[in-house]
Amino acid sequence: MNRKTRRFTAILVALSFMAPGLVWAQGQAGVTGRLNAGFEQLEQGKFDQAQKVFEEVLRQDPGHPLALNNLAAILVKQGKFDQALASLKQALPRSRGFKVALNRVCNVDGVCAACCLGDEKFGTEDLEGVVKSNILMVEMARSSRPAKK
């Protein structure tokens, strides 16, 4: 094997090790963009569209804590407190240590807060506190408001 062929082979091997990381990083940037787009729709009162976005993220990453949290806010708006609570409880384990820069938070019916991600490299806040607060508020609302199915 000549020198040029060895160099080309070495480059191909190096790229094959880097490619999965690059694909993962690109996927994560796409998830962040979709989550923020869903939040924008939620904030504008386009609940059906926002719900589709969060459900799409969850199909790609089941258990994504921010998608579950924001989906719970929509379920609260629909009066589906039991489903909202289930979504929040599913989000809780992965929300621990999920560091985000909370750019904006919107309050849905005074019961549940949905979040928008800020610039990830400045993430210093733990999503766990938001999820725990939402669980408490949904439990209180569930006991004082009629639920829808």
Side-chain angles (χ1 to χ4, degrees):
M1 203 186 285
N2 67 26
R3 187 179 176 127
K4 212 175 203 181
T5 305
R6 282 188 294 221
R7 184 180 297 168
F8 181 72
T9 303
I11 290 171
L12 284 178
V13 169
L15 287 173
S16 70
F17 285 116
M18 291 173 41
L22 295 173
V23 169
W24 180 84
Q26 186 178 28
Q28 291 304 312
V31 168
T32 298
R34 286 196 310 267
L35 286 168
N36 285 346
F39 177 84
E40 293 295 328
Q41 291 170 332
L42 177 66
E43 202 171 41
Q44 295 168 11
K46 298 176 183 175
F47 298 105
D48 290 340
Q49 293 95 323
Q51 184 170 356
K52 287 177 186 175
V53 170
F54 299 134
E55 288 172 347
E56 176 188 322
V57 170
L58 289 169
R59 275 191 295 279
Q60 182 181 2
D61 181 3
H64 191 289
L66 190 58
L68 286 165
N69 180 78
N70 289 359
L71 180 59
I74 294 168
L75 293 168
V76 162
K77 183 68 176 171
Q78 297 169 347
K80 299 176 181 176
F81 300 116
D82 289 336
Q83 290 177 26
L85 198 54
S87 183
L88 290 166
K89 288 183 177 181
Q90 185 181 352
L92 188 58
R94 282 188 59 192
S95 69
R96 292 183 185 113
F98 190 90
K99 297 295 184 190
V100 294
L102 296 176
N103 192 12
R104 293 194 321 261
V105 175
C106 79
N107 192 317
V108 178
D109 286 352
V111 175
C112 199
C115 305
C116 180
L117 291 174
D119 187 350
E120 290 182 42
K121 65 184 171 189
F122 298 111
T124 58
E125 297 189 49
D126 200 295
L127 185 62
E128 181 182 22
V130 174
V131 173
K132 282 183 174 180
S133 175
N134 282 340
I135 289 172
L136 180 62
M137 290 189 294
V138 171
E139 285 175 339
M140 290 176 10
R142 182 177 67 169
S143 66
S144 65
R145 297 182 188 182
K148 297 179 186 173
K149 294 193 180 200

